[in-house]
Amino acid sequence: MRAFGFRKTPKKSDKDTSFEDLQKKTEELQARKYEAEIKEIQRESRNRTQIFDFETLRRNTKRRAAVIFIVLLVISPVIVFFFLSSTSHQGPFAYNLEAYYTSVFAPVSSLISPLFGIVTSQLACIGNPVVCVGQQTTNITVVVYPTFTSFVTVTPASSIQTVFLTGNDTPANLFYTVSNNANVPLGASTNNALFLNESCGSTDNPAEAHICVVTTSPKVILSNASFSSVLLSKQTLTNETKMSVSCPSKSSNIALPTLSSLILNFTIKNYSAGSILPVQFVSQQFSQQLLASSQPLEPNLPSVSFVSPGPLQIVMSVVEPMPIITGTGNIPITITVKNNGVGANAYKVNSLSIFLPKSMWPTSPQGSGWKCVSSTSSIKMQFAIPGSSYWVCTNTESTQQLQSAGTQFVLPQITSLSSLHFNTVPIFAYMNYNYYEYMNMPYKISASGSVCG
C-alpha cells in the first residue's frame, strides 16, 4: 500500500471522542443560557411597555379565586341560615325585633339613600351630558308669605301608648292631637275639606304594620271620614281611635310584648297654589343699537318669581336667558310642580291654568296640550283671577304626566314693544290640587301571665 502512496489514518482514541462530546454539550448549554437570557430581557421589555402585566394578573386571579372559594365555602352555612331566618321571620329577623329596630335604623337609611341618587345622576351626566346642562334663566323664586310643609301634624298623647290584653278582642283607645299648620281653615264647612283614613300600616316599618294586621280588628278603622267641620289655622283638636286587639296566633312568630302601628291618612281637598313669572323683553332694534355701540345687554330689573305658600309650588322658567329679544321666535316656558312636603306625602293635581295678557298676545295662543279661552274675573280660594283682558289656558294633559315630568307652554313670539326699549310681562299660573299626608302612630301590645298562652 505504501507503493501506491496511501497512508493509514490513525484512529481517534476514546479519550479524544469524549472530549469533543463534552465540548459540544458545553456549547449547547451556553447557547440555551444565552437564549433564556434573551427571552428574559424581551419579557422584561414587554412588561415595561405594556399597561397590564397579564401573566401576574392571571396568577393573582387564580390565587384570589381560590381564597374566595374557600371563604364562600366556610360562610355558606351562615348565608343559608340568614336566608331561612328572613323568609320564616325567626331568629334575628323575627317580627318583634324588626318592629323594634327598624325605626332605629330608618334615619341611617334616610341619610344613605340620597347618595345612590347622587351617584345615579352623575352617571347619567357622564352617559348623556346634555341632560345636565340645565336651563339658563335669570329669575329668582321667592315665597310671598310664610310657607308650610304639612297641612296637619299628628302628635300621640304619649310617646308610645300601650294596649294591655285581657284576652281576644280587647277594646283599645288610642289618643292623639291634630294641629292645623295651614294658613286657611280646614274641614267640611270650609273650602278645603279634610278627610281621615285610619288603618293598619306604616310608612317606614313593615313589621309594625304586619303585627297590626295580625292582632287588630278592624284592619280599616276609618275610611274617608270627615275629620272636622272646621279646624281653624293653628288650632289643635284631640281625636280618639277605637279598635279591638287580640292575641297573636302561635304560628305568626309574634311574641308579646311587641310594637304595632296604625297609619293615618289625611286628605286635604281643593287647595290652591299660584305663581307669577315676570318675563322680560327687549326691543330687537334697541338690542342692535347696544351691540353696535359695544354696550352690554342687561335687564333693567331683576326677575323674581312669586309663589304662594303651601307644600306644593308651581315653578316656571324660560329656556333662554332674559331679557328676550323680540322677533327671535317662540318662547317655551317650562312648568313643573315641586313638592316641599315631608315624609311620604303625595298629591293629585285637579287643574292647572296660566293667564296671559291680551295686550301682548291679541290672538288666542293655542298650543299642544292646552286649551285657551277668554278669562272671567273671579275669586278662587285666596286668588283673584283676572278678567276678560287675559287669556286663560288650561292644561289638558294627563295628571300622571304633569306630576312626573311637568309640562311646557310655548308662548308665541312678540314682534314689537311699540316705542318701548324694555317691557316686563307677568305670567300667572294657578293650580288646584288635593294633598295626602301619611302619618304613623305606633303603639305597644302587652299581656300579663297566661292571657295569650
Side-chain angles (χ1 to χ4, degrees):
M1 295 182 64
R2 290 176 182 173
F4 291 92
F6 292 101
R7 189 172 57 185
K8 185 177 180 181
T9 304
K11 293 182 179 180
K12 293 181 179 180
S13 64
D14 294 339
K15 185 177 180 180
D16 295 334
T17 302
S18 60
F19 176 77
E20 291 178 357
D21 292 341
L22 180 62
Q23 188 176 10
K24 288 181 179 180
K25 289 180 180 179
T26 303
E27 292 175 353
E28 289 177 359
L29 291 174
Q30 289 178 348
R32 291 176 183 176
K33 179 181 178 183
Y34 293 149
E35 184 179 358
E37 290 178 353
I38 292 172
K39 289 182 178 180
E40 180 65 21
I41 293 172
Q42 292 175 345
R43 185 180 65 81
E44 292 178 356
S45 177
R46 285 196 302 270
N47 290 341
R48 286 194 296 269
T49 56
Q50 66 184 2
I51 299 176
F52 298 105
D53 186 356
F54 292 101
E55 186 64 30
T56 305
L57 185 62
R58 275 195 295 270
R59 289 197 301 268
N60 292 339
T61 302
K62 290 180 180 179
R63 248 192 327 264
R64 291 169 183 168
V67 173
I68 293 173
F69 176 77
I70 294 173
V71 172
L72 290 177
L73 192 64
V74 172
I75 67 173
S76 57
V78 179
I79 297 174
V80 172
F81 167 75
F82 276 98
F83 175 76
L84 295 176
S85 298
S86 62
T87 54
S88 61
H89 291 280
Q90 295 179 348
F93 295 96
Y95 284 116
N96 299 73
L97 294 178
E98 289 184 27
Y100 274 100
Y101 293 109
T102 298
S103 58
V104 175
F105 292 109
V108 178
S109 63
S110 65
L111 292 176
I112 296 175
S113 57
L115 298 178
F116 296 99
I118 294 173
V119 173
T120 304
S121 63
Q122 293 304 315
L123 292 176
C125 292
I126 295 173
N128 184 13
V130 176
V131 302
C132 298
V133 171
Q135 296 175 342
Q136 293 180 318
T137 179
T138 58
N139 66 298
I140 304 170
T141 301
V142 297
V143 180
V144 182
Y145 302 104
T147 189
F148 54 92
T149 57
S150 66
F151 283 90
V152 295
T153 299
V154 172
T155 305
S158 61
S159 55
I160 294 183
Q161 300 175 81
T162 302
V163 177
F164 293 96
L165 295 180
T166 58
N168 289 329
D169 296 326
T170 300
N173 297 334
L174 299 180
F175 295 91
Y176 58 91
T177 59
V178 180
S179 301
N180 181 1
N181 301 326
N183 60 345
V184 295
L186 304 174
S189 300
T190 70
N191 291 324
N192 306 107
L194 180 63
F195 294 93
L196 172 61
N197 294 271
E198 290 183 320
S199 61
C200 288
S202 174
T203 61
D204 59 4
N205 199 319
E208 289 182 359
H210 173 77
I211 293 171
C212 176
V213 171
V214 173
T215 60
T216 305
S217 178
K219 306 301 181 292
V220 178
I221 301 168
L222 286 177
S223 178
N224 206 32
S226 178
F227 176 73
S228 173
S229 58
V230 178
L231 181 60
L232 299 175
S233 179
K234 310 309 177 186
Q235 184 182 4
T236 299
L237 294 180
T238 300
N239 198 39
E240 177 185 9
T241 297
K242 296 182 179 181
M243 57 187 184
S244 296
V245 182
S246 299
C247 297
S249 62
K250 294 182 179 179
S251 61
S252 64
N253 296 323
I254 297 174
L256 300 180
T258 187
L259 287 178
S260 185
S261 176
L262 294 177
I263 188 167
L264 311 181
N265 174 12
F266 285 91
T267 301
I268 298 90
K269 292 189 175 182
N270 201 37
Y271 194 75
S272 296
S275 179
I276 297 176
L277 171 67
V279 182
Q280 299 175 357
F281 292 93
V282 61
S283 168
Q284 187 178 58
Q285 181 181 2
F286 182 67
S287 172
Q288 292 172 350
Q289 292 175 358
L290 291 176
L291 183 63
S293 59
S294 300
Q295 295 291 326
L297 176 60
E298 296 178 351
N300 55 348
L301 289 173
S303 177
V304 181
S305 292
F306 298 95
V307 297
S308 59
L312 290 191
Q313 291 181 355
I314 306 172
V315 180
M316 294 189 292
S317 61
V318 291
V319 175
E320 55 187 293
M322 293 189 283
I324 300 170
I325 302 174
T326 60
T328 55
N330 296 336
I331 307 112
I333 294 182
T334 300
I335 306 171
T336 57
V337 180
K338 183 179 180 182
N339 187 358
N340 294 324
V342 294
N345 300 331
Y347 64 94
K348 177 182 179 298
V349 175
N350 299 323
S351 65
L352 173 66
S353 302
I354 63 173
F355 296 82
L356 309 172
K358 291 183 179 180
S359 59
M360 301 300 295
W361 291 279
T363 306
S364 177
Q366 301 293 343
S368 176
W370 296 86
K371 181 180 179 181
C372 300
V373 297
S374 291
S375 179
T376 302
S377 178
S378 62
I379 300 294
K380 291 187 176 181
M381 308 301 293
Q382 64 266 43
F383 298 100
I385 302 301
S388 58
S389 60
Y390 276 75
W391 300 108
V392 53
C393 299
T394 304
N395 187 267
T396 58
E397 297 173 331
S398 65
T399 300
Q400 290 79 5
Q401 169 70 19
L402 179 61
Q403 295 180 182
S404 61
T407 186
Q408 190 177 75
F409 186 87
V410 180
L411 288 171
Q413 71 171 344
I414 294 180
T415 57
S416 174
L417 298 180
S418 300
S419 59
L420 299 176
H421 293 324
F422 289 96
N423 196 5
T424 300
V425 179
I427 306 298
F428 173 60
Y430 171 83
M431 178 177 65
N432 183 274
Y433 65 92
N434 297 342
Y435 202 72
Y436 309 95
E437 296 190 343
Y438 304 91
M439 301 179 183
N440 301 324
M441 189 167 66
Y443 58 96
K444 188 176 181 180
I445 303 175
S446 183
S448 59
S450 60
V451 172
C452 294

